[in-house]
Amino acid sequence: MPLTAGTHLGRYEIRALLGAGGMGEVYVARDEKINRDVAIKVLPAAFSADAERLRRFEQEAQATGALNHANILAVFDVGTHEGAPYVVSELLEGETLRERMGGAALPQRKAIDYALQIAHGLAAAHEKGIIHRDLKPENLFITKDGRLKILDFGLAKLLGATDGSQSQTEVPTRRVDTDPGIVMGTIGYMSPEQLRSKPADHRSDIFSFGAILYEMLSGRRAFHGESTADTMSAILREEPRELSETNKNIAPALERVVNHCLEKNPEERFHSARDLAFAIEALSGSGRMTDSTRTVLATLPAPRSKRRELFAWIAAATFLAASLGLALLYFRRTPEAEPSVRFVIAMPPAVTDVSNPVVSPDGRYVAFLGGSEGRRHLFVRPFDTLDAQQLPGTDEATFAFWSPDSRHVAFFSNNKLKKIDVTGGPPQTLCDAPAVLGGSWSRDGVILFSLDTKGIWRVSAAGGTPQQVTRIDESRKEVSQAWPSFLPDGQNFLYQSWTGRSPDSSIWLVSLDGASRRELLKADSNAAYAAPGYLLFARETTVMAQSFDPDSLKLAGDLFPIAEQVTYMSSVSLSSFSTSENGTLVVLRGNYSNRQLVWFDRNGKQLGVVGPTGDYNDVVLSPDGTKVATQRLEGGQWDIWVIDLARGLPVRLTFDAASEDNPVWSPDSNTLVFSSDREGLNNLYRKSSSGAGNEEILLKSDHSKESRDWSLDGRFILFNVYGANTGDLWVLPMFGDQKAYPLLNTEFEEGQSQFSPDGHWFAYTSNESGRPEVYVQSFPVSGGKWQISTGGGAQPRWRGDVKELFYLDPSRNLMAVDIKAASTFEISPPKRLFQTQVVNYSSPNRYVVTRDGQRFLVNSPAGEISQTPITVVLNWTAGLKR
């Protein structure tokens, strides 16, 4: 049985289960002695009697503990708990190489970077007499800062150390020889000698490394058959398809490195991982070689067969390039380029929760959003002063962007698009703009802005009636268009197309007249042009760049990183970077995606946490109060998960490649209804909350739908239907002919509805006043309507006795309203309970309330929110010339 949260293993307190496999269970735990989170791998006591499994587990601990390298998982401690051994290691955040590849080839520059890190880690292990023997993409982990770590030396064979110290095989009682005939490792990445059950040394790891590098560069496995026997036969007898046939951009010298690793005969491979690392460094452009060196390497002819003289080629090319480089430096010296300059902008003491920094086109100002006095405002900081100024009239501003002349900042507030002069004066409202995801302003006085699921719209910078530019492309299962960004010509722009799955989302190029539209590249991020010729976007928390010609509108060359650990809001696919026309880059560092479900009392005092940290959106409490359903991002995929509140362990409920959202509990807490776009538009599905059985479709139609609530008598389900211009509330009867009908069908957008526990009322939000407010009507609708919130509100939640209604205001304060609901409906003025730290107050399902109204489970940041300084890089492109 898995360990429960709160269990102590020595000085370590178990927090949550991370995963389980043949080599044990892995938990996240807290090291109480030095106050840090760690990972603990435990071999269950029930299996500790298995001598072979126990030996392999202890071998892993011993092998990994002997290593201390940046590219190898660090082991801190070992011990036993109730007869079961465990290993304590560093806790990593990120994804495996398998998840990063996602079935596709990586950019050549990134593949070389990862390959070099693997080679360095292997070299460190091999020098300690340790080989891995199960190297594969699943055992290679990429942290959020881009560091690659080698995991799981559970199959390591410990050989004599090369430094003359005692070999790990000489440690008493630790036999590690493989019995004849036993195959250990993973088919597809195993060396021929492993398949033949012959002695395997460090060169077997080099073969596995070659298979992994081949897959990173080609997007396909080097050896893959229809069956295990076919795959084994391919490894033993066949050569993989030439890389240059699968990817014409592969450098010939790099292909030779891969081929040299994949020699069938171990004697013909690289003789050491250190030699392998040297060869890769020669291709990496990491600073050890000049551009001319790489040019010479790139012009070497591709081999028709594998050659053993690889080092001779590399050495000759390096020598020739170095000689040419020295001659050029001697006869034609050029002045040194102006270097990049970095500095940070500290936030004013009273400003918290900073987001969305954008630099002005002239590079003289940065605008950003920040919390002050319980509300969010727009601030502007000139680079030649030390003070940031709060702009008046910008309460609840979101998603700011600059005018081309750097005189105005545009922003969205209370369902309006506005602009304000940075030198003073009140903001000017330009048009209505509900449910926005970014904007852009051209030199021709045109502003583009996203209406999320309703496409991209345009309006004059002087104000007016918006006109639609693009519509959602349902043929490619597009569900949202976000973050429009003009190109320099003012006639073409970029936007991010969201399909419900991160791997399928992409950046598109569109003309302003809509005459042309094409996909540029796959990316789950905003994108922007940066002078003198780059396209910038993000891969999670790393900002990437690629050469882009603004005239031909074409990309060229490899991707390369320019900033790491940059704030990325996965819920809206927004990376916090911005560039000016004169080479200034601005980024905000931090992590919005690391969230925690936290219990609070009515005074805002934290009472405890539920489950591990993660990338959560929705959180919905079951009627029996024992479980919560949540939408969680894992491996680039949004799915529904269920967390048992007593155990605190998330269990994945949906596994479809599409995006699942908006979970709703049945009255008996045994079934979940949710929306999924697996057939293009969102339809409603249901599945047992235990995970048993398959999902079944509940409601399918020609319009997108989102489930909202299920009445406690089990008779009705509330859901939203989204048409061309608005969202309406509908009801699905769960009896009779089960024919859905509209409950509120207006010109405004209604949503976030919830039945009162007695079934006589329903609360919802509507933007009929110009901003979201919370309302209550009787059910069925009989004409009476009451506005609950004042000054904006969202996410209404009922107390179990219908005597109180809760909601969030625009400052993310949790508000409470006393209710008297009998023959009439009476309400008291709203009162503030405490301020939450939900990502977006207007998004649904970011908190739950217990039936007695005394406790609240809130989707909160993991850890304290700090005043993160904004990083500014002047002349950022200078760093690309090394």
Side-chain angles (χ1 to χ4, degrees):
M1 178 180 294
L3 299 177
T4 59
T7 301
H8 279 80
L9 278 63
R11 73 193 204 202
Y12 309 102
E13 181 183 356
I14 297 296
R15 294 291 177 86
L17 177 67
L18 288 179
M23 291 299 293
E25 297 167 340
V26 182
Y27 298 84
V28 59
R30 187 70 174 176
D31 185 339
E32 297 179 335
K33 185 174 181 180
I34 57 177
N35 293 322
R36 69 176 172 186
D37 290 332
V38 296
I40 296 183
K41 175 178 280 190
V42 181
L43 184 65
F47 296 100
S48 61
D50 185 335
E52 174 58 19
R53 179 174 293 196
L54 181 60
R55 182 186 67 81
R56 288 171 57 194
F57 186 86
E58 292 175 342
Q59 182 173 287
E60 176 186 2
Q62 183 186 59
T64 313
L67 303 174
N68 181 17
H69 192 272
N71 297 118
I72 298 175
L73 180 75
V75 170
F76 302 138
D77 196 7
V78 294
T80 58
H81 174 72
E82 297 180 355
Y86 63 83
V87 172
V88 183
S89 67
E90 63 181 320
L91 181 64
L92 303 178
E93 293 185 9
E95 61 185 348
T96 65
L97 178 60
R98 172 72 67 206
E99 293 167 336
R100 175 62 59 90
M101 289 190 295
L106 297 177
Q108 182 171 310
R109 182 186 294 267
K110 181 56 68 176
I112 291 175
D113 175 39
Y114 292 156
L116 184 57
Q117 295 189 62
I118 299 169
H120 283 316
L122 288 177
H126 292 171
E127 288 171 4
K128 292 291 185 180
I130 301 169
I131 64 173
H132 195 286
R133 289 206 303 175
D134 195 22
L135 206 62
K136 55 187 176 183
E138 289 81 358
N139 282 337
L140 301 170
F141 194 93
I142 302 165
T143 65
K144 289 190 175 182
D145 62 359
R147 176 80 66 181
L148 187 140
K149 299 271 188 177
I150 304 176
L151 312 180
D152 200 354
F153 277 81
L155 297 178
K157 181 179 179 182
L158 312 182
L159 305 177
T162 60
D163 60 3
S165 62
Q166 183 188 33
S167 164
Q168 294 298 306
T169 50
E170 296 171 20
V171 178
T173 73
R174 295 294 186 266
R175 288 182 53 85
V176 294
D177 293 337
T178 303
D179 291 337
I182 297 178
V183 176
M184 299 182 71
T186 301
I187 302 298
Y189 302 93
M190 296 172 64
S191 64
E193 58 268 29
Q194 284 178 287
L195 292 177
R196 293 190 174 102
S197 300
K198 292 184 177 181
D201 59 15
H202 61 278
R203 292 169 297 183
S204 291
D205 282 352
I206 291 175
F207 185 95
S208 301
F209 169 95
I212 293 168
L213 181 53
Y214 182 100
E215 189 170 345
M216 284 196 287
L217 293 168
S218 67
R220 55 181 290 170
R221 297 194 180 189
F223 306 100
H224 185 65
E226 294 182 359
S227 66
T228 299
D230 291 339
T231 301
M232 295 173 69
S233 177
I235 293 173
L236 294 171
R237 300 177 179 85
E238 299 174 9
E239 300 292 344
R241 182 181 174 185
E242 293 291 339
L243 274 173
S244 55
E245 296 178 14
T246 64
N247 188 340
K248 296 182 179 179
N249 295 321
I250 296 296
L254 179 58
E255 184 174 6
R256 283 193 292 274
V257 170
V258 176
N259 291 343
H260 201 55
C261 292
L262 293 177
E263 293 285 0
K264 307 295 186 187
N265 184 352
E267 296 292 331
E268 296 182 8
R269 298 175 203 149
F270 286 92
H271 293 297
S272 71
R274 189 67 64 192
D275 291 339
L276 173 60
F278 172 81
I280 297 172
E281 275 187 323
L283 301 166
S284 68
S286 61
R288 297 195 176 193
M289 298 186 67
T290 64
D291 289 340
S292 56
T293 303
R294 290 194 294 273
T295 301
V296 171
L297 284 172
T299 59
L300 290 176
R304 297 180 178 225
S305 63
K306 296 185 171 82
R307 307 171 186 265
R308 298 177 59 181
E309 58 269 19
L310 172 67
F311 286 114
W313 278 108
I314 293 179
T318 304
F319 177 78
L320 175 59
S323 301
L324 290 173
L326 288 172
L328 288 172
L329 288 174
Y330 182 82
F331 290 108
R332 189 180 65 187
R333 300 178 182 177
T334 57
E336 293 186 5
E338 182 181 350
S340 295
V341 176
R342 296 173 180 265
F343 61 92
V344 297
I345 298 177
M347 296 299 100
V351 177
T352 60
D353 199 9
V354 173
S355 64
N356 189 213
V358 283
V359 64
S360 61
D362 62 9
R364 297 174 56 197
Y365 305 89
V366 62
F368 60 89
L369 304 175
S372 176
E373 299 177 351
R375 290 188 175 274
R376 294 181 62 75
H377 303 276
L378 183 62
F379 293 79
V380 169
R381 157 75 187 271
F383 288 149
D384 58 359
T385 70
L386 298 178
D387 298 320
Q389 301 297 322
Q390 177 183 314
L391 299 183
T394 61
D395 292 8
E396 307 314 322
T398 61
F399 306 136
F401 55 98
W402 285 90
S403 64
D405 60 8
S406 303
R407 292 180 52 191
H408 294 83
V409 180
F411 62 97
F412 304 94
S413 176
N414 296 319
N415 292 318
K416 305 289 184 182
L417 170 61
K418 303 178 181 181
K419 69 177 181 181
I420 188 170
D421 192 317
V422 295
T423 62
Q428 174 187 346
T429 297
L430 303 181
C431 66
D432 292 335
V436 292
L437 288 177
S440 185
W441 193 330
S442 79
R443 293 189 178 278
D444 298 325
V446 176
I447 290 179
L448 290 173
F449 59 96
S450 159
L451 289 184
D452 192 7
T453 60
K454 300 172 186 175
I456 308 296
W457 295 65
R458 61 179 290 177
V459 70
S460 168
T465 302
Q467 298 178 327
Q468 192 162 15
V469 179
T470 65
R471 298 181 183 275
I472 298 297
D473 185 355
E474 296 179 357
S475 66
R476 55 179 301 272
K477 298 185 178 181
E478 187 178 63
V479 295
S480 174
Q481 296 176 349
W483 316 122
S485 179
F486 272 112
L487 293 174
D489 61 12
Q491 298 303 309
N492 293 277
F493 65 92
L494 309 167
Y495 77 86
Q496 189 247 354
S497 171
W498 170 250
T499 61
R501 294 186 68 249
S502 295
D504 295 335
S505 296
S506 53
I507 306 300
W508 283 69
L509 172 66
V510 187
S511 61
L512 193 58
D513 60 8
S516 64
R517 178 173 180 264
R518 61 184 173 89
E519 185 181 58
L520 273 184
L521 79 164
K522 295 290 186 183
D524 182 17
S525 162
N526 49 312
Y529 174 80
Y534 299 98
L535 187 71
L536 270 55
F537 58 96
R539 298 274 194 234
E540 295 183 344
T541 60
T542 300
V543 177
M544 310 293 294
Q546 187 173 8
S547 294
F548 179 78
D549 186 341
D551 297 322
S552 65
L553 304 179
K554 293 182 178 180
L555 292 163
D558 294 330
L559 307 179
F560 52 92
I562 63 171
E564 297 181 335
Q565 296 180 314
V566 177
T567 297
Y568 175 73
M569 297 176 64
S570 59
S571 60
V572 290
S573 304
L574 177 63
S575 177
S576 294
F577 69 85
S578 175
T579 62
S580 71
E581 294 176 353
N582 60 356
T584 297
L585 171 69
V586 166
V587 298
L588 180 70
R589 300 186 187 278
N591 189 0
Y592 272 101
S593 299
N594 194 26
R595 310 290 294 179
Q596 179 78 68
L597 303 183
V598 182
W599 283 111
F600 295 92
D601 65 12
R602 292 177 68 95
N603 297 317
K605 179 182 177 181
Q606 183 171 328
L607 303 176
V609 299
V610 172
T613 61
D615 200 343
Y616 298 101
N617 271 346
D618 294 324
V619 51
V620 184
L621 184 66
S622 62
D624 64 10
T626 64
K627 301 179 287 291
V628 292
T630 179
Q631 187 199 34
R632 186 181 184 202
L633 180 66
E634 187 81 11
Q637 187 170 317
W638 288 106
D639 283 292
I640 305 300
W641 295 63
V642 175
I643 304 177
D644 186 303
L645 294 178
R647 300 175 63 214
L649 301 178
V651 177
R652 189 172 177 179
L653 187 74
T654 62
F655 296 85
D656 192 87
S659 178
E660 280 73 41
D661 200 357
N662 309 296
V664 167
W665 288 97
S666 64
D668 61 7
S669 303
N670 292 329
T671 303
L672 278 165
V673 168
F674 55 90
S675 57
S676 174
D677 61 0
R678 61 188 64 180
E679 296 186 26
L681 294 172
N682 270 341
N683 289 311
L684 301 187
Y685 294 78
R686 63 180 166 188
K687 185 176 183 179
S688 169
S689 62
S690 69
N694 297 320
E695 298 103 79
E696 60 176 343
I697 195 159
L698 180 64
L699 182 62
K700 182 178 180 180
S701 67
D702 294 334
H703 295 287
S704 187
K705 296 163 289 299
E706 293 182 353
S707 42
R708 295 302 180 201
D709 195 27
W710 197 332
S711 62
L712 284 181
D713 60 9
R715 293 172 56 81
F716 302 99
I717 290 178
L718 276 172
F719 65 99
N720 266 107
V721 174
Y722 293 98
N725 296 307
T726 188
D728 297 311
L729 281 181
W730 283 59
V731 172
L732 175 64
M734 299 301 289
F735 56 89
D737 60 5
Q738 296 190 16
K739 184 176 181 180
Y741 63 88
L743 181 65
L744 294 180
N745 185 5
T746 73
E747 60 183 303
F748 308 110
E749 184 158 328
E750 294 89 16
Q752 302 186 16
S753 50
Q754 188 184 45
F755 285 114
S756 63
D758 61 9
H760 297 156
W761 317 90
F762 68 99
Y764 65 98
T765 62
S766 173
N767 63 357
E768 62 186 83
S769 69
R771 62 184 175 192
E773 297 281 5
V774 175
Y775 298 86
V776 167
Q777 290 200 46
S778 60
F779 183 79
V781 173
S782 60
K785 181 171 69 174
W786 297 265
Q787 181 175 329
I788 304 300
S789 61
T790 58
Q795 303 190 52
R797 290 288 180 268
W798 295 91
R799 199 168 83 184
D801 57 8
V802 199
K803 292 183 178 181
E804 203 169 17
L805 188 65
F806 306 93
Y807 68 90
L808 292 179
D809 75 1
S811 296
R812 298 179 290 180
N813 291 308
L814 185 63
M815 309 296 290
V817 176
D818 292 330
I819 302 290
K820 290 183 180 180
S823 57
T824 61
F825 193 87
E826 301 178 18
I827 60 175
S828 67
K831 56 188 176 186
R832 178 183 181 275
L833 298 184
F834 62 92
Q835 186 171 39
T836 71
Q837 294 294 344
V838 299
V839 170
N840 188 346
Y841 98 96
S842 62
S843 297
N845 301 331
R846 295 306 189 261
Y847 77 98
V848 300
V849 57
T850 56
R851 287 186 59 84
D852 61 6
Q854 299 302 306
R855 294 193 303 149
F856 305 86
L857 186 63
V858 184
N859 187 343
S860 305
E864 296 293 328
I865 293 181
S866 60
Q867 299 179 32
T868 306
I870 295 170
T871 301
V872 180
V873 185
L874 306 179
N875 194 27
W876 69 272
T877 56
L880 308 180
K881 300 174 183 178
R882 60 182 183 273

